[in-house]
Each structure stands twice: as structure tokens, then as C-alpha cells.
Amino acid sequence: MLKIGDIEMKNPVVLAPMAGVCNSAFRLTVKEFGAGLVCAEMVSDKGIVLQNAKTMNMLYIDEREKPLSLQIFGGEKKSLVEAAQFVDKNTNADIIDINMGCPVPKITKCDAGAKWLLDPNKIYEMVSAVVDAVDKPVTVKMRIGWDEEHVFAIENAQAVERAGGKAVSMHGRTRVQMYEGKANWDIIREVKKSINIPLIGNGDVETPQDAERMLKETGVDGVMIGRAALGNPWMIYRTVKYLESGQLMEEPTVREKMDVCVLHMDRLIALKNEYVAVREMRKHASWYLKGVKGNGKARKGINDCETREDVVRLLYGMVDEIEAKEMNIQMV
């Protein structure tokens, strides 16, 4: 079983920290589908130190989400340590995670995110400073390297361990790859052999079978699922069940998918307000609609929805049309 410090998970399936996605409404919904650990979207250390209102709201955690890992990012030791101390003393997060994987330029140009991957010594210095300053277990989310010429995955993971980090999550792509190409599981396997703390594998886990294969082929202690869970918390549920029993659970019906989409929206409304939540749900609704036959009108119309009622009317109108067609086919 996956264990980070003294935090024990019910299973090795972990929801990845995805920026702009993993707020409390989404995390709780995924948690209810069985995730062993959910990770919050990355939060700026400077935003925490300066008590920025939007940043403070991002620190909200529903007790039902726990155990939960809250991720911070930054490039300067002083502000990173201060932010970690605030999270340690003022939130109900179980784990403090440091982002060393975000590839976007606005993060890396601040010497944060994936920029750390170029310097194992900085990783040791920064992680040890945070570990010394907090009581909660500290972990790191990283990529295998900056580019093909700078893959310091083993050295970087070992630096985290030496600094007192309690686990590493590793995405099998370089910063230059972004989210393109193939994740390198061979490097993840070599990293696992080189450290004694838990390693969580990430990248190209799109089915329950992929999750099982990653665990077997790399020896990792946990498997992290990101984009495959967007609009599809059943991926988490089906993966947990498959790893437990080898049984591949059925995909949800269209109505079941829309029921959860609306539940997710209602939680987002409670978290942010209807105006903001409905606009944020447009992208989520598109993900929930992905793969649904007969979704054309709904996918086009979702960006015009202004209210909760608009979204509900659109989604269930589509469900009614699909179910009516299926009934007609059965009658024929």
C-alpha cells in the first residue's frame, strides 16, 4: 500500500495536480470515485506570502477530500519556505508537495517549476530548507528532465531523498516535450531502483490496464492519473477496481455522466458562485461530453450557457434525445 511519511492511502491511485482544474469541487468528485490520494492544483508561494485573496481561496480543502497533497511552486528559498510554513500551520492538507514539473514559460522564467530540473544541488538545498521548516511530509512532483540532453532524473530524485523528502512523483516526459510524444517509463523504472522513498509514476496512463502495466513494468509504488480523469472520474474508479480484482467495470451511461457533471457544477457553484462556476464548467462539460455519440449540438452550445439552468437544460436535453433514439432502435 502507498504510504508517504505517516500518511497511508487506501490504494495506489493518485489524482495528479492539474493547474486550473484541481480545485476542491473537482477533487472531491474524484475522491468519491475512490482515489487513494488527490492533489491540489499548484499555488504560488508569493501569493501565499502576500496573502493574495484568490490564492487564499485556492487553499480551501473539504475534509472529505483527505488525504490530500497541496502543491506549492516558487524559485526563491525564502518565499518557498514561508509559504510551506503557512500551509503547514494554517491548512488541513496532509502533504506539502513542491512543483518541479510545470513546463510553461511564465513559471520556468521565475526559476520555478521544471527549471529546477537542471540543478540537483538546488533541489537538495530548496527541499531540505522546506523539510526543516515544516512538520507535514514534503514530496516533489517532477519530470524526467529539461530536454534530452539534460535528463537528471536519478540525480534529482536522489537529491529529494537526501534532503528529507518523503516521496517523488515523476512524469515520464521532459520539459521540452510538454505533453507531446511518449512518456519514458524506462527512466521511471531506473529511478525507482535508485531511491528508497516511494515513487509515483505519471504519464500515458489512459486506461486501467495502463495503470497495472506501469506498476508491473516500473515497480513504482503508486500511479498518478491526470488528463485521463478530465470529465471522467470513472477512470479512477475503474482503475481502482481493476487493480483490486482484475475486473474491468463497465463504462457509465450518458445519463450517469451528465449526473456527475451537474454534481461537479453544483459543487463549483458553492465554491465560487454561479457566474464564475458556469463559465469554468464549460471546459469540464466538454470533457464530460467527450466520446458521447450524438453530442454535437451540446458541445457547440455549452459555450453559450450563462446559468446553471442553461447547462442542465442543454445536457439533459441531449440525454433525452439519445435515450429516445436508443429506445426506437430497440423497438425496431
Side-chain angles (χ1 to χ4, degrees):
M1 207 50 62
L2 177 61
K3 189 175 182 181
I4 297 174
D6 58 356
I7 311 298
E8 194 165 335
M9 321 309 158
K10 291 182 178 178
N11 60 65
V13 180
V14 181
L15 173 69
M18 292 176 281
V21 172
C22 287
N23 53 47
S24 181
F26 179 71
R27 297 190 311 253
L28 179 56
T29 303
V30 171
K31 184 70 175 184
E32 291 176 341
F33 277 81
L37 176 68
V38 294
C39 301
E41 61 186 317
M42 64 180 187
V43 183
S44 161
D45 62 346
K46 295 280 181 31
I48 294 173
V49 171
L50 297 173
Q51 301 280 291
N52 174 273
K54 184 178 178 182
T55 303
M56 291 295 103
N57 288 336
M58 293 172 71
L59 300 181
Y60 172 75
I61 299 164
D62 188 307
E63 278 291 318
R64 294 171 292 175
E65 299 174 51
K66 292 162 63 68
L68 175 136
S69 171
L70 198 152
Q71 187 180 80
I72 58 176
F73 74 90
E76 298 173 10
K77 187 196 299 185
K78 184 175 183 293
S79 54
L80 195 72
V81 167
E82 287 181 23
Q85 288 175 319
F86 184 90
V87 171
D88 189 46
K89 301 303 181 188
N90 298 281
T91 78
N92 53 343
D94 300 281
I95 296 163
I96 299 172
D97 189 62
I98 301 172
N99 182 297
M100 297 185 202
C102 182
V104 300
K106 73 175 182 179
I107 302 297
T108 59
K109 74 179 182 182
C110 300
D111 289 332
K115 192 66 178 288
W116 290 40
L117 301 173
L118 291 165
D119 189 353
N121 291 325
K122 178 177 179 176
I123 290 174
Y124 174 79
E125 179 187 354
M126 299 281 271
V127 174
S128 60
V130 172
V131 168
D132 290 345
V134 302
D135 294 324
K136 297 181 192 292
V138 176
T139 61
V140 168
K141 172 81 160 59
M142 60 171 58
R143 287 173 174 251
I144 58 172
W146 180 262
D147 56 25
E148 287 187 10
E149 285 72 46
H150 300 87
V151 176
F152 306 142
I154 290 174
E155 299 93 322
N156 290 342
Q158 289 176 338
V160 173
E161 182 174 21
R162 286 200 317 275
K166 298 300 184 184
V168 172
S169 300
M170 184 163 287
H171 185 146
R173 290 181 174 84
T174 63
R175 183 264 172 181
V176 167
Q177 280 182 277
M178 300 291 280
Y179 299 97
E180 302 299 323
K182 189 176 180 183
N184 191 325
W185 290 8
D186 292 335
I187 291 176
I188 292 176
R189 181 172 62 247
E190 293 307 308
V191 171
K192 174 56 189 170
K193 292 177 184 175
S194 75
I195 59 175
N196 296 306
I197 57 176
L199 180 66
I200 300 167
N202 179 216
D204 291 350
V205 180
E206 298 174 0
T207 67
Q209 297 96 318
D210 289 337
E212 181 187 54
R213 190 164 57 83
M214 174 177 267
L215 288 164
K216 287 183 175 179
E217 290 184 9
T218 67
V220 290
D221 304 277
V223 59
M224 183 173 274
I225 297 171
R227 288 173 292 168
L230 295 175
N232 186 22
W234 292 269
M235 171 60 183
I236 302 292
Y237 171 74
R238 296 175 79 238
T239 299
V240 170
K241 292 299 180 185
Y242 187 74
L243 294 178
E244 287 175 351
S245 66
Q247 183 180 3
L248 201 55
M249 308 301 287
E250 288 186 7
E251 294 276 9
T253 66
V254 176
R255 185 171 291 277
E256 286 170 339
K257 291 190 79 167
M258 297 309 107
D259 285 346
V260 172
C261 182
V262 171
L263 171 65
H264 181 176
M265 176 174 63
D266 286 342
R267 285 176 170 160
L268 202 53
I269 290 170
L271 192 67
K272 299 194 174 186
N273 75 48
E274 184 174 0
Y275 181 88
V276 173
V278 168
R279 281 150 185 79
E280 193 170 310
M281 273 305 294
R282 290 170 179 171
K283 65 184 178 185
H284 287 282
S286 293
W287 290 325
Y288 280 99
L289 288 164
K290 189 177 179 182
V292 174
K293 291 182 180 178
N295 69 3
K297 189 166 76 172
R299 282 182 76 96
K300 288 178 183 176
I302 196 67
N303 287 328
D304 295 324
C305 290
E306 302 280 344
T307 66
R308 177 191 185 278
E309 192 53 44
D310 290 342
V311 177
V312 170
R313 189 183 308 114
L314 181 75
L315 297 182
Y316 285 113
M318 178 200 67
V319 172
D320 290 342
E321 286 182 15
I322 291 172
E323 289 180 346
K325 285 180 183 177
E326 289 175 351
M327 189 172 293
N328 288 336
I329 290 170
Q330 290 172 2
M331 290 176 68
V332 172

Tab-separated table of all heavy atoms in Angstrom, residues 86-114:
chain	number	residue	atom	x	y	z
A	86	PHE	N	3.197	28.365	6.103
A	86	PHE	CA	1.796	28.771	6.196
A	86	PHE	C	0.880	27.581	5.921
A	86	PHE	O	-0.092	27.345	6.657
A	86	PHE	CB	1.491	29.898	5.208
A	86	PHE	CG	0.083	30.426	5.326
A	86	PHE	CD1	-0.208	31.476	6.174
A	86	PHE	CD2	-0.969	29.844	4.607
A	86	PHE	CE1	-1.508	31.952	6.311
A	86	PHE	CE2	-2.265	30.303	4.734
A	86	PHE	CZ	-2.543	31.361	5.587
A	87	VAL	N	1.173	26.824	4.864
A	87	VAL	CA	0.373	25.637	4.539
A	87	VAL	C	0.419	24.634	5.685
A	87	VAL	O	-0.593	24.032	6.050
A	87	VAL	CB	0.886	24.986	3.230
A	87	VAL	CG1	0.210	23.644	2.991
A	87	VAL	CG2	0.642	25.909	2.036
A	88	ASP	N	1.589	24.487	6.275
A	88	ASP	CA	1.790	23.532	7.364
A	88	ASP	C	0.919	23.871	8.570
A	88	ASP	O	0.295	22.987	9.167
A	88	ASP	CB	3.268	23.541	7.757
A	88	ASP	CG	3.645	22.436	8.722
A	88	ASP	OD1	3.237	21.277	8.480
A	88	ASP	OD2	4.346	22.717	9.710
A	89	LYS	N	0.847	25.147	8.917
A	89	LYS	CA	0.168	25.552	10.153
A	89	LYS	C	-1.281	26.000	9.952
A	89	LYS	O	-2.058	26.004	10.918
A	89	LYS	CB	0.945	26.709	10.817
A	89	LYS	CG	2.373	26.377	11.177
A	89	LYS	CD	2.463	25.172	12.108
A	89	LYS	CE	3.926	24.876	12.469
A	89	LYS	NZ	4.063	23.593	13.209
A	90	ASN	N	-1.657	26.362	8.735
A	90	ASN	CA	-2.964	27.005	8.539
A	90	ASN	C	-3.896	26.286	7.568
A	90	ASN	O	-4.957	26.814	7.236
A	90	ASN	CB	-2.753	28.445	8.049
A	90	ASN	CG	-2.005	29.288	9.056
A	90	ASN	OD1	-2.570	29.760	10.034
A	90	ASN	ND2	-0.717	29.473	8.819
A	91	THR	N	-3.529	25.105	7.098
A	91	THR	CA	-4.442	24.325	6.245
A	91	THR	C	-4.536	22.906	6.779
A	91	THR	O	-3.700	22.469	7.576
A	91	THR	CB	-3.955	24.261	4.777
A	91	THR	OG1	-2.898	23.283	4.670
A	91	THR	CG2	-3.462	25.606	4.279
A	92	ASN	N	-5.557	22.197	6.313
A	92	ASN	CA	-5.726	20.807	6.721
A	92	ASN	C	-5.190	19.834	5.662
A	92	ASN	O	-5.599	18.684	5.590
A	92	ASN	CB	-7.188	20.495	7.038
A	92	ASN	CG	-8.139	20.884	5.911
A	92	ASN	OD1	-7.782	21.661	5.029
A	92	ASN	ND2	-9.349	20.346	5.924
A	93	ALA	N	-4.243	20.314	4.830
A	93	ALA	CA	-3.560	19.413	3.895
A	93	ALA	C	-2.757	18.385	4.686
A	93	ALA	O	-2.274	18.660	5.793
A	93	ALA	CB	-2.634	20.207	2.983
A	94	ASP	N	-2.604	17.197	4.120
A	94	ASP	CA	-1.825	16.143	4.778
A	94	ASP	C	-0.369	16.152	4.334
A	94	ASP	O	0.520	15.754	5.085
A	94	ASP	CB	-2.437	14.777	4.448
A	94	ASP	CG	-3.869	14.667	4.925
A	94	ASP	OD1	-4.080	14.444	6.122
A	94	ASP	OD2	-4.791	14.826	4.094
A	95	ILE	N	-0.133	16.600	3.091
A	95	ILE	CA	1.192	16.544	2.473
A	95	ILE	C	1.458	17.872	1.777
A	95	ILE	O	0.549	18.461	1.188
A	95	ILE	CB	1.251	15.391	1.445
A	95	ILE	CG1	1.060	14.031	2.134
A	95	ILE	CG2	2.548	15.412	0.637
A	95	ILE	CD1	0.706	12.901	1.185
A	96	ILE	N	2.692	18.350	1.838
A	96	ILE	CA	3.101	19.541	1.095
A	96	ILE	C	3.961	19.083	-0.081
A	96	ILE	O	5.015	18.456	0.116
A	96	ILE	CB	3.895	20.516	1.980
A	96	ILE	CG1	3.031	20.994	3.158
A	96	ILE	CG2	4.384	21.712	1.161
A	96	ILE	CD1	3.798	21.806	4.194
A	97	ASP	N	3.514	19.378	-1.286
A	97	ASP	CA	4.232	18.977	-2.489
A	97	ASP	C	4.870	20.208	-3.134
A	97	ASP	O	4.287	21.291	-3.135
A	97	ASP	CB	3.271	18.306	-3.482
A	97	ASP	CG	4.002	17.677	-4.652
A	97	ASP	OD1	4.802	16.751	-4.405
A	97	ASP	OD2	3.774	18.091	-5.799
A	98	ILE	N	6.073	20.028	-3.673
A	98	ILE	CA	6.766	21.116	-4.368
A	98	ILE	C	6.773	20.816	-5.859
A	98	ILE	O	7.174	19.725	-6.284
A	98	ILE	CB	8.210	21.273	-3.861
A	98	ILE	CG1	8.221	21.552	-2.350
A	98	ILE	CG2	8.915	22.398	-4.610
A	98	ILE	CD1	9.610	21.532	-1.737
A	99	ASN	N	6.341	21.789	-6.661
A	99	ASN	CA	6.270	21.593	-8.104
A	99	ASN	C	7.640	21.817	-8.746
A	99	ASN	O	8.209	22.894	-8.657
A	99	ASN	CB	5.250	22.557	-8.719
A	99	ASN	CG	5.105	22.372	-10.214
A	99	ASN	OD1	6.044	22.571	-10.969
A	99	ASN	ND2	3.918	21.998	-10.645
A	100	MET	N	8.119	20.756	-9.413
A	100	MET	CA	9.339	20.857	-10.221
A	100	MET	C	9.071	20.314	-11.624
A	100	MET	O	9.994	19.849	-12.294
A	100	MET	CB	10.470	20.058	-9.580
A	100	MET	CG	10.894	20.547	-8.228
A	100	MET	SD	12.320	19.611	-7.641
A	100	MET	CE	12.191	19.893	-5.884
A	101	GLY	N	7.798	20.374	-12.035
A	101	GLY	CA	7.465	19.785	-13.321
A	101	GLY	C	6.761	20.708	-14.292
A	101	GLY	O	6.730	20.426	-15.490
A	102	CYS	N	6.178	21.796	-13.796
A	102	CYS	CA	5.403	22.666	-14.684
A	102	CYS	C	6.297	23.199	-15.803
A	102	CYS	O	7.315	23.843	-15.537
A	102	CYS	CB	4.787	23.824	-13.911
A	102	CYS	SG	3.763	24.886	-14.968
A	103	PRO	N	5.902	22.982	-17.069
A	103	PRO	CA	6.775	23.351	-18.186
A	103	PRO	C	6.521	24.726	-18.787
A	103	PRO	O	7.264	25.155	-19.666
A	103	PRO	CB	6.445	22.266	-19.214
A	103	PRO	CG	4.983	21.986	-19.004
A	103	PRO	CD	4.752	22.170	-17.512
A	104	VAL	N	5.465	25.430	-18.344
A	104	VAL	CA	5.075	26.651	-19.057
A	104	VAL	C	6.067	27.780	-18.775
A	104	VAL	O	6.571	27.932	-17.660
A	104	VAL	CB	3.634	27.088	-18.693
A	104	VAL	CG1	2.638	25.991	-19.049
A	104	VAL	CG2	3.512	27.449	-17.227
A	105	PRO	N	6.363	28.594	-19.788
A	105	PRO	CA	7.399	29.631	-19.666
A	105	PRO	C	7.186	30.615	-18.523
A	105	PRO	O	8.155	31.054	-17.894
A	105	PRO	CB	7.349	30.329	-21.027
A	105	PRO	CG	6.854	29.275	-21.973
A	105	PRO	CD	5.862	28.476	-21.170
A	106	LYS	N	5.935	31.010	-18.249
A	106	LYS	CA	5.722	32.018	-17.203
A	106	LYS	C	6.125	31.486	-15.819
A	106	LYS	O	6.383	32.279	-14.909
A	106	LYS	CB	4.269	32.506	-17.195
A	106	LYS	CG	3.246	31.536	-16.650
A	106	LYS	CD	1.870	32.195	-16.595
A	106	LYS	CE	0.826	31.264	-15.999
A	106	LYS	NZ	-0.502	31.898	-15.914
A	107	ILE	N	6.192	30.169	-15.668
A	107	ILE	CA	6.645	29.568	-14.415
A	107	ILE	C	8.158	29.366	-14.446
A	107	ILE	O	8.871	29.739	-13.510
A	107	ILE	CB	5.936	28.221	-14.164
A	107	ILE	CG1	4.414	28.416	-14.125
A	107	ILE	CG2	6.433	27.592	-12.858
A	107	ILE	CD1	3.907	29.299	-13.023
A	108	THR	N	8.667	28.794	-15.535
A	108	THR	CA	10.102	28.489	-15.593
A	108	THR	C	10.969	29.748	-15.626
A	108	THR	O	12.102	29.740	-15.132
A	108	THR	CB	10.431	27.592	-16.805
A	108	THR	OG1	10.025	28.251	-18.021
A	108	THR	CG2	9.723	26.256	-16.705
A	109	LYS	N	10.456	30.841	-16.192
A	109	LYS	CA	11.263	32.071	-16.245
A	109	LYS	C	11.438	32.697	-14.859
A	109	LYS	O	12.296	33.563	-14.662
A	109	LYS	CB	10.654	33.073	-17.219
A	109	LYS	CG	9.406	33.774	-16.730
A	109	LYS	CD	8.902	34.762	-17.780
A	109	LYS	CE	7.675	35.519	-17.279
A	109	LYS	NZ	7.155	36.452	-18.307
A	110	CYS	N	10.638	32.239	-13.889
A	110	CYS	CA	10.778	32.680	-12.500
A	110	CYS	C	11.643	31.705	-11.699
A	110	CYS	O	11.621	31.706	-10.462
A	110	CYS	CB	9.411	32.805	-11.839
A	110	CYS	SG	8.299	33.972	-12.631
A	111	ASP	N	12.377	30.850	-12.427
A	111	ASP	CA	13.225	29.823	-11.814
A	111	ASP	C	12.414	28.814	-11.006
A	111	ASP	O	12.931	28.209	-10.054
A	111	ASP	CB	14.310	30.457	-10.920
A	111	ASP	CG	15.369	31.156	-11.731
A	111	ASP	OD1	15.594	30.743	-12.885
A	111	ASP	OD2	15.969	32.122	-11.226
A	112	ALA	N	11.152	28.646	-11.367
A	112	ALA	CA	10.282	27.699	-10.672
A	112	ALA	C	9.911	26.552	-11.614
A	112	ALA	O	10.342	26.488	-12.760
A	112	ALA	CB	9.028	28.416	-10.175
A	113	GLY	N	9.081	25.627	-11.088
A	113	GLY	CA	8.612	24.519	-11.904
A	113	GLY	C	9.752	23.692	-12.459
A	113	GLY	O	10.717	23.352	-11.759
A	114	ALA	N	9.687	23.378	-13.760
A	114	ALA	CA	10.656	22.487	-14.392
A	114	ALA	C	12.063	23.065	-14.459
A	114	ALA	O	13.020	22.323	-14.724
A	114	ALA	CB	10.169	22.125	-15.802
